[in-house]
Amino acid sequence: MTAIVSEALIARLAEWGVDTVFGLPGDGINGIMEGLRRNQGKVRFVLVHHEEAAAFMATAYAKATGRVGVCLATSGPGGIHLANGLYDAKLDHAPVLAITGMQETSVLGTGYQQEVHLDRLYEDVAEYNEMVTNPAQLPGLVDLAVRTAYARRGVAHLTIPNDIQVADAGKNPWPTVAPAHAPATSPVYLSPPVRPRDDDLNAAARVLNRGERIAILAGIGARGAGPLVERVAEVLGAPVIKTLSGKMVIPDDSPFATGGLGLLGTAPSAELVDDIDTLLMLGTNFPYTKHLPEPGKVAVVQIDTDAARIGSRMPTDVPLVGDVGASLTDLLPLLRTRDDRSHLKKYQDKMSDWRSKMAALESPDRDPIAPQYLAHLLDELCTDDSVLTCDSGTIATWAARHWNIRARREFYLSGNLATMAPGLPYAIGIQHAYPDRQVVAFIGDGGFAMLMAEFHTAVWHGLPIKVVINNNAGLGQILWEQMVLGYPEHGVRFGDPQPDYAGWARSAGGYGVRVEKAGDLPDALRTAFATDGPALVDVMVDPNEPPMPGKVTYEQAKKFAGAFLRGQPHKAAIATTLFKDRVQQLKDR
């Protein structure tokens, strides 16, 4: 059988170590599907219900493994559907390769059916972006695409016309015009050296050794360097703030951890940034600058592998270009150990008080079910090596504050894009990567509804993911954002009848149960977690529970109160919930 271009494409991906392609077939990629069929012993194809989910799965696979994630879509609308998931990869610096179809070269430019020039559409999202127009270009373009995705930590895209997909591999279609002279390449990527220069390390040490009240801000770029981060924190007497994406860097019960920063963060972290004279930023490009120290008021040392990102959020005294782990290894011997632990002790005490307040909100005695209680039960019942995927919205607040990193636990969500809907496909992508680990998707009803068909994908592929829906029958985060702006809620709650998500799970072949009473929740979760295959627990939580910022500003409080006075339709229920929260916190002190 003559080898076709698509066969060479998939075979080359296998040489790069690619073992999975997430996608949805279409007439614009039938040739590539044949290439996958011919290489099915090397690369598995994961059929999904929606191309957006395929891109999310590839992104999650890349985030969790560090290897390139690959997604596949047909020409035109299929490729358009990939875009949201690809922007998630771009903004969170995950290496992803998108492969799309294209109309035959003979009809390009004629306004043919589904003629969307995806290489032009992806100009903003892709670091490498090419249309294959000659069979001789492969495997060279595959090598360049994958290598660029790794080197620039972003998206690469190859779009392949139908006639090229099925052409003879390596054959020049125009031999009388010019001989084929494609460059010889190899499927190899070598990470560049990551150790900062000695002069820069010494300069960083001088700044940190002068500091008296130091804090560390650790992002996902510090993943894997947690023990080093804690050793530096011990030497400097520095509390450690974690970005939400960097939640897994050090355990949540670490004596140095003060939790997150920003709307989803803790009060101690918010107070800490106003109380320091020095900030050490590790592997983070934290975008919410209003929550960072006032520029010019603190000395800043920042470590990142990308020199372009250093100094983009805060004026930086010493930039260190390098891997966080390698940089801290060389920096540690240069640092002066602090004898005065008062700064650290101050925030350890504040965190003890904060944890007590959060624990008070995890009461099983409240009706309707408190979302904090649901998140707390997940924390209790999940294994020590579980992976939690999360959606955007109020769900992220409950996960950030009540589900704790310990042992080998990991946590993933859409960080900088903060899109809805990735929680479920993230879980599927990560379960493919780690079939023996517990993977739990903790998502809101709004995010689940967007890509709920992918629960059937998990069933069909035999992936034992667990889905826990924090169901507040609306778009909770937007409700509270409207109120903080001083507006009464509008367009954020779904009326009756409510969808039967548990029924959908059962109809798809999985386990499904709906829970409305707190007393039924522990057994429902235990049963779901003990189920061999995919399981879903739809939990009806209090829709009036506010995801309050760790530290409420005067302006936020004033506008929130104004929304009440201008006719907030659920103000009685909201006021009651806030009152219950406060009573519970006082009772449990």
Side-chain angles (χ1 to χ4, degrees):
M1 184 183 298
T2 302
I4 60 175
V5 166
S6 295
E7 188 176 359
L9 165 72
I10 304 303
R12 194 61 162 191
L13 289 177
E15 290 186 64
W16 274 100
V18 172
D19 58 15
T20 306
V21 173
F22 304 95
L24 184 65
D27 56 9
I29 52 170
N30 279 332
I32 298 175
M33 294 303 300
E34 174 62 12
L36 282 162
R37 187 192 68 80
R38 295 186 187 185
N39 285 282
Q40 58 188 302
K42 300 176 182 177
V43 178
R44 58 187 172 183
F45 175 69
V46 177
L47 174 64
V48 306
H49 284 279
H50 196 290
E51 291 93 351
E52 182 180 3
F56 282 137
M57 291 176 196
T59 299
Y61 183 97
K63 286 182 176 183
T65 66
R67 303 195 301 271
V68 66
V70 182
C71 53
L72 173 66
T74 192
S75 55
I80 295 170
H81 283 160
L82 289 179
N84 194 44
L86 295 181
Y87 269 99
D88 185 34
K90 172 186 172 71
L91 270 63
D92 281 356
H93 313 294
V96 168
L97 171 62
I99 302 170
T100 62
M102 180 62 71
Q103 280 64 31
E104 290 85 351
T105 55
S106 60
V107 299
L108 291 178
T110 67
Y112 200 75
Q113 183 188 33
Q114 294 189 340
E115 185 181 347
V116 177
H117 288 262
L118 295 169
D119 51 330
R120 300 175 193 170
L121 180 69
Y122 289 177
E123 282 181 351
D124 179 61
V125 74
E127 299 287 345
Y128 185 87
N129 184 22
E130 293 292 338
M131 182 190 297
V132 180
T133 57
N134 188 317
Q137 290 175 282
L138 287 174
L141 263 58
V142 176
D143 292 346
L144 289 168
V146 175
R147 193 176 296 121
T148 303
Y150 278 130
R152 299 181 183 171
R153 307 297 300 177
V155 175
H157 171 233
L158 293 175
T159 188
I160 309 174
N162 283 346
D163 52 330
I164 302 297
Q165 293 175 28
V166 297
D168 288 352
K171 183 178 180 181
N172 181 12
W174 305 289
T176 60
V177 176
H181 54 276
T185 59
S186 58
V188 176
Y189 172 73
L190 184 63
S191 298
V194 291
R195 183 187 181 279
R197 294 173 295 199
D198 288 340
D199 288 348
D200 295 334
L201 287 165
N202 288 321
R206 285 193 294 271
V207 170
L208 294 171
N209 287 334
R210 284 197 302 266
E212 296 181 358
R213 299 183 312 282
I214 305 173
I216 297 171
L217 177 62
I220 188 60
R223 179 188 179 188
L228 283 167
V229 174
E230 289 189 288
R231 284 175 59 192
V232 171
E234 171 66 28
V235 168
L236 297 177
V240 179
I241 302 168
K242 299 187 293 181
T243 69
L244 189 55
S245 294
K247 183 175 173 65
M248 69 182 96
V249 171
I250 65 172
D252 281 304
D253 63 357
S254 166
F256 307 104
T258 62
L261 187 63
L263 294 178
L264 281 61
T266 69
S269 290
E271 294 168 11
L272 178 60
V273 296
D274 293 330
D275 186 33
I276 58 174
D277 58 23
T278 307
L279 178 66
L280 174 58
M281 300 176 68
L282 303 176
T284 178
N285 194 31
F286 187 77
Y288 309 106
T289 53
K290 68 180 180 180
H291 297 291
L292 291 173
E294 186 177 340
K297 292 295 182 67
V298 298
V300 177
V301 173
Q302 184 173 359
I303 303 176
D304 203 293
T305 54
D306 188 343
R309 288 200 291 265
I310 296 179
S312 63
R313 307 301 184 194
M314 291 277 295
T316 302
D317 295 80
V318 181
L320 292 179
V321 180
D323 171 79
V324 170
S327 301
L328 293 183
T329 298
D330 290 342
L331 185 60
L332 260 168
L334 307 176
L335 299 178
R336 174 176 60 85
T337 300
R338 300 296 194 282
D339 296 323
D340 183 359
R341 317 304 281 179
S342 58
H343 174 63
L344 176 60
K345 179 65 166 54
K346 175 181 178 180
Y347 287 94
Q348 288 174 332
D349 291 344
K350 287 179 179 291
M351 273 306 293
S352 178
D353 183 60
W354 171 264
R355 291 186 180 107
S356 296
K357 289 179 178 178
M358 292 301 101
L361 298 176
E362 298 166 352
S363 171
D365 300 327
R366 297 166 63 190
D367 181 35
I369 298 170
Q372 298 96 325
Y373 176 57
L374 170 58
H376 168 67
L377 277 180
L378 286 179
D379 182 52
E380 281 194 339
L381 298 176
C382 283
T383 62
D384 282 353
D385 71 341
S386 62
V387 180
L388 192 78
T389 66
C390 191
D391 246 12
S392 299
T394 58
I395 192 76
T397 301
W398 314 135
R401 294 177 178 172
H402 301 273
W403 192 83
N404 294 300
I405 294 295
R406 61 174 182 263
R408 294 180 56 238
R409 282 186 174 181
E410 296 181 12
F411 176 78
Y412 298 95
L413 81 171
S414 174
N416 287 306
L417 185 61
T419 179
M420 292 177 67
L424 174 58
Y426 263 36
I428 293 172
I430 293 172
Q431 191 77 83
H432 262 287
Y434 301 118
D436 297 327
R437 293 181 71 172
Q438 182 187 66
V439 181
V440 180
F442 184 39
I443 55 184
D445 55 300
F448 178 76
M450 289 182 173
L451 291 173
M452 60 187 286
E454 303 308 333
F455 186 84
H456 176 259
T457 299
V459 174
W460 192 78
H461 289 288
L463 298 169
I465 64 168
K466 312 306 174 191
V467 179
V468 179
I469 302 177
N470 183 86
N471 193 337
N472 56 20
L475 305 173
Q477 189 70 36
I478 307 306
L479 182 158
W480 300 106
E481 287 175 351
Q482 288 179 358
M483 293 184 66
V484 167
L485 289 170
Y487 309 143
E489 66 175 75
H490 179 70
V492 291
R493 299 199 196 226
F494 296 107
D496 291 330
Q498 294 295 317
D500 183 4
Y501 295 128
W504 157 244
R506 294 191 296 271
S507 72
Y511 172 85
V513 64
R514 176 172 169 145
V515 179
E516 298 183 2
K517 296 294 182 182
D520 299 330
L521 188 53
D523 285 345
L525 289 173
R526 289 190 184 98
T527 301
F529 287 175
T531 301
D532 289 337
L536 181 149
V537 182
D538 184 16
V539 185
M540 307 306 294
V541 300
D542 188 349
N544 298 306
E545 181 70 38
M548 299 298 286
K551 186 176 181 180
V552 181
T553 67
Y554 169 76
E555 196 64 26
Q556 287 172 329
K558 186 174 80 169
K559 290 182 177 179
F560 190 86
F564 265 67
L565 296 175
R566 286 202 295 273
Q568 164 56 245
H570 296 89
K571 60 184 177 183
I574 292 170
T576 299
T577 299
L578 290 169
F579 177 73
K580 287 179 180 177
D581 284 354
R582 186 57 179 154
V583 167
Q584 198 73 46
Q585 288 177 332
L586 291 171
K587 185 178 78 171
D588 292 351
R589 287 181 69 86

